Amino acid sequence: MTDKPVHLPERLALLSDLNAASYLTEGLLAGKENVPAMALGKIADPLPGDQARAALGPVRDLVDEVMYRCRDDKPTKADAWLAPRLHATLRLDRREAADRRRWNHLTLGVAPDYVTWRHMPEPKQDGKAPMVTANRFRGAHHTQAFARLWWAAELFRNGPDYGPVVTACTHQDMLNTVLRLDAIDHRPTAQAMVRLIERGTVRTGREINALASAVNTSAATLMYDVVAPDAERDGEPLRQWIEASEWAGPVTRDILPEGPDDAPAPEESVERLVDYFSELFEDARVRGRVQTVSEND
C-alpha cells in the first residue's frame, strides 16, 4: 500500500483534473509509489479565506483512525464509519462539494494511501499486479473515493440524523448503484429505500440492484416529489452549521455526529414510498430469485 504522505500542508486545497491526471502513474495505482507532496503543493490552488473547516489535520486524522479501526476487517467496512464523519468534518454546501478539484486534492494531496488501501482489488489468478482504477482518485461523484462518501452522507442523512447513512454505506450496492440515480436526490425516496433495508424487505446486493432498477424505471412515469412531497428546504440551518465549524471540536469517534439541523423528510411521504417501493420490489427481477407466476398470467 502507498505510504502516508510526508510534508503535508496545514490546509486543504484545490487540484485541477489536468494536474491530477499527471500524478496518476501506474506505480501509484499499484500502491508502489507515493505522490510527491511538495511538488503537488506547488500546483494546488489554496482555498479562499481562512476558515477552520479548511484545516487538513482533522481529515487526515479521520483517515488514520478508520484504517486503524478496520485493520483486521475488509476495507469496505470503512465506508459506514467514515462517510458521516467526513461530511461532518468538511461542512460543505452542495455547490462546494460539486467542485471536483476539492476531491482531487483529498485523494492525491492528503490521503493517497487511504485510496489504495480501500480500493485495491483482490489479486487476479493471471498473476498480474492489481491496480486501483484511476477514477477512485479523479472521477465522478459516485466513484471518487471521498466524493462518494460525502454525497452518500448528504443524500441519505435525514436532517441531522446520520443513522440512515450508516445503513446505506454498509451495503456497497447502495453506493455503487443507488448513488448514481437522479431520483435519490428526492429525500423521501432515499429514506424509503434505506427503510426497506432496515426492515429486512431488501437484504442482498442483488436485491438492492433490482430495487434500484425498479425505482429508477418507475421515476420515468411517476413523479415522486408530487405523490410524496418533501418539506420545503431552508438554507439557514446549513449556513449556521457551516459557521459553527469555527468553534466546533473534532467529530465524535464512537457515536455519530450530528449534521445540519434540517427538517427531516416528512414521515407520511417516506411511508407512502415504502409501501409503493415494496410493491415494485415484489415484481422486480432479482438474479437468482425464483419468480412466482400468477394463475391469471
Side-chain angles (χ1 to χ4, degrees):
M1 184 183 75
T2 302
D3 293 332
K4 177 179 177 178
V6 295
H7 307 301
L8 287 174
E10 294 183 358
R11 311 281 291 174
L12 300 173
L14 305 172
L15 184 66
S16 71
D17 276 348
L18 182 62
N19 286 330
S22 66
Y23 289 97
L24 297 178
T25 64
E26 288 190 4
L28 174 67
L29 299 179
K32 297 178 180 179
E33 295 178 2
N34 213 332
V35 176
M38 296 185 68
L40 184 144
K42 293 178 180 179
I43 61 173
D45 296 318
L47 288 169
D50 58 354
Q51 293 178 312
R53 64 192 175 116
L56 184 148
V59 178
R60 183 66 227 190
D61 289 345
L62 286 180
V63 169
D64 290 336
E65 177 79 9
V66 77
M67 289 194 293
Y68 176 78
R69 284 176 176 253
C70 299
R71 63 193 183 280
D72 296 325
D73 292 319
K74 290 184 177 180
T76 52
K77 297 286 187 181
D79 294 347
W81 188 91
L82 185 55
R85 291 168 178 84
L86 179 71
H87 187 275
T89 296
L90 293 175
R91 299 203 182 206
L92 306 175
D93 60 36
R94 291 191 179 189
R95 177 187 59 80
E96 293 170 321
D99 189 342
R100 286 165 54 121
R101 297 176 300 166
R102 185 182 301 270
W103 307 115
N104 291 342
H105 182 258
L106 272 178
T107 52
L108 289 164
V110 179
D113 55 327
Y114 165 80
V115 182
T116 55
W117 171 81
R118 168 60 185 84
H119 292 288
M120 185 66 70
E122 294 291 330
K124 298 180 180 179
Q125 294 183 350
D126 59 11
K128 293 182 179 180
M131 298 178 67
V132 178
T133 56
N135 62 13
R136 297 302 187 183
F137 286 93
R138 186 196 69 152
H141 76 279
H142 53 267
T143 56
Q144 207 270 0
F146 288 114
R148 68 197 285 271
L149 297 180
W150 190 93
W151 282 103
E154 174 68 9
L155 295 172
F156 289 112
R157 68 181 175 89
N158 196 15
D161 181 14
Y162 285 120
V165 178
V166 174
T167 299
C169 291
T170 300
H171 299 269
Q172 286 302 299
D173 289 280
M174 290 292 283
L175 292 170
N176 296 337
T177 302
V178 177
L179 198 59
R180 300 169 182 259
L181 305 182
D182 290 339
I184 210 65
D185 192 43
H186 179 238
R187 294 196 307 159
T189 295
Q191 293 306 310
M193 295 185 74
V194 168
R195 202 159 293 182
L196 287 175
I197 294 174
E198 293 174 340
R199 294 179 179 178
T201 304
V202 177
R203 295 183 176 87
T204 68
R206 289 181 177 181
E207 290 177 346
I208 289 172
N209 288 330
L211 174 64
S213 179
V215 168
N216 192 49
T217 300
S218 177
T221 56
L222 181 67
M223 300 180 66
Y224 295 148
D225 57 344
V226 174
V227 300
D230 195 358
E232 185 174 348
R233 303 298 293 272
D234 180 3
E236 185 61 20
L238 175 62
R239 186 189 67 79
Q240 293 179 355
W241 186 69
I242 291 175
E243 287 184 353
S245 65
E246 294 302 310
W247 58 84
V251 296
T252 51
R253 293 329 200 226
D254 295 318
I255 60 174
L256 282 176
E258 291 188 354
D261 195 21
D262 302 328
E267 186 64 19
E268 181 180 355
S269 293
V270 174
E271 284 299 320
R272 183 174 295 135
L273 288 182
V274 166
D275 292 340
Y276 178 65
F277 292 166
S278 295
E279 294 177 3
L280 288 180
F281 180 66
E282 287 181 4
D283 296 328
R285 291 190 174 276
V286 181
R287 287 180 56 199
R289 183 174 72 175
V290 178
Q291 299 292 124
T292 57
V293 180
S294 169
E295 293 180 358
N296 296 323
D297 288 347

